[in-house]
Amino acid sequence: MQALGPRIVITAFDGWNDAGEAASSAVELLRSSGEYERAHSVDPELYFDYQYTRPAVGLDADGRRRLRWPEATLWRPVGDDDTDRTRFWLLTGAEPARAWQAFSAEFVDAALADDVTGFVTLGAMLSDVPHTRPISIFASSENEEIREGLGLERSSYEGPVGILSVLEHAAESAGIPTASLWASVPHYVASATPSPKATLALLDRLHELSGVDVPRGHLRTEAAAWEASIDAAAAEDEDMTDYIHQLERTRDTWDSPDASGDAIAQAFERYLRRNNGDGPGEHKR
């Protein structure tokens, strides 16, 4: 049995944690590929600031106008009680604005009620990387057994954190081992959202961690089209082309045999320190 056990919560939230919608898109693809039922949802009145995460109005199947409130939900897989097969629970929604300890405790309690054996959080950050190279994934864990079993890093970052880190801490404190996967999304293509290449990289790394043959849908085709569209834009801008070449040289240095094994980890730490924990949104990791 793999290190995180057979019942793993895969977690991603909209907001700062989700550059290029890479992490939330990964969880949505997982959810669309199987049958899930609602295991637990929080009361939005307790955790969301509606001036930041506003409710939306839309039409239901009968043509009536309905309000949709911000939510965060744990989804449970339906059917297949094979205890030897690894299955995913999915935790996703909007990043909360307040009461993060209580928010995390609700979901950890719900996970414990379902005998969950592991947590994997997915995130994506804007970073100084080229779109033409493979998307870097920083894989880490605060759990020594998980690091040894899966060959992960331990983050040395100290500073402000956000909901993913709070959830990881709550899960570890409750005895549920955790791992974290962060994709580096080229910052100069922030407007080219979503970023299917980053979503694909997250799912590929999740497959390596869990052993589950996760669905990729049409991501490989979409990633190629995404990269080609940025190539076309860069071809019309000499400064952008030069900048991308500079990033490529730096990335190729990371990937060289002489590069330090923790080069990507160091870049991740520099990103967090440079932003003092702040990212594309108002919340912190």
Side-chain angles (χ1 to χ4, degrees):
M1 186 177 296
Q2 60 91 25
L4 290 164
R7 303 160 75 89
I8 306 172
V9 176
I10 310 300
T11 305
F13 287 93
D14 300 339
W16 177 85
N17 312 274
D18 195 28
E21 300 176 9
S24 59
S25 294
V27 171
E28 284 305 311
L29 184 56
L30 292 173
R31 185 179 165 196
S32 67
S33 68
E35 187 177 356
Y36 286 87
E37 63 184 9
R38 190 185 302 266
H40 183 74
S41 289
V42 296
D43 181 351
E45 295 290 313
L46 300 177
Y47 301 115
F48 297 106
D49 180 344
Y50 297 143
Q51 290 186 326
Y52 175 73
T53 308
R54 292 182 179 273
V57 67
L59 300 179
D60 64 15
D62 299 320
R64 291 173 295 195
R65 292 170 65 82
R66 300 287 189 186
L67 276 175
R68 290 183 291 105
W69 297 93
E71 67 171 2
T73 300
L74 177 67
W75 298 93
R76 176 194 299 124
V78 175
D80 190 357
D81 295 325
D82 182 359
T83 57
D84 293 328
R85 188 175 74 89
T86 299
R87 294 186 296 163
F88 292 150
W89 275 241
L90 306 175
L91 172 52
T92 189
E95 186 178 37
R98 59 175 70 93
W100 284 8
Q101 292 183 75
F103 178 91
S104 300
E106 276 202 40
F107 282 116
V108 169
D109 286 346
L112 289 170
D114 273 9
D115 296 322
V116 160
T117 57
F119 258 78
V120 176
T121 59
L122 306 183
M125 60 181 175
L126 296 176
S127 192
D128 299 330
V129 295
H131 72 283
T132 53
R133 297 296 188 264
I135 296 291
S136 301
I137 302 295
F138 178 64
S140 67
S141 176
E142 290 302 301
N143 187 292
E144 184 177 356
E145 292 183 6
I146 296 300
R147 290 198 304 274
E148 292 179 355
L150 297 175
L152 305 186
E153 302 280 348
R154 184 178 189 182
S155 175
S156 60
Y157 170 73
E158 296 180 274
V161 297
I163 191 59
L164 293 182
S165 292
V166 175
L167 273 166
E168 291 165 17
H169 179 77
E172 287 283 353
S173 297
I176 306 175
T178 67
S180 176
L181 303 178
W182 279 76
S184 295
V185 178
H187 70 88
Y188 57 88
V189 296
S191 61
T193 296
S195 299
K197 189 173 181 178
T199 298
L200 179 60
L202 282 169
L203 290 174
D204 285 346
R205 193 68 176 93
L206 179 60
H207 164 69
E208 294 173 3
L209 243 60
S210 66
V212 175
D213 187 14
V214 299
R216 275 75 159 192
H218 301 291
L219 281 175
R220 299 195 190 284
T221 300
E222 293 169 2
W226 176 84
E227 187 171 332
S229 69
I230 300 168
D231 287 341
E236 299 178 359
D237 186 329
E238 184 176 347
D239 289 338
M240 184 176 180
T241 298
D242 290 342
Y243 179 63
I244 292 171
H245 288 334
Q246 176 186 336
L247 293 177
E248 288 172 338
R249 288 190 294 270
T250 301
R251 175 58 188 273
D252 292 343
T253 299
W254 289 357
D255 292 339
S256 72
D258 296 331
S260 170
D262 61 355
I264 294 175
Q266 292 173 359
F268 178 79
E269 308 297 352
R270 286 197 300 271
Y271 168 83
L272 290 174
R273 292 192 179 97
R274 183 175 68 238
N275 290 281
N276 192 28
D278 295 327
E282 293 183 10
H283 296 289
K284 299 178 176 67
R285 180 176 180 275

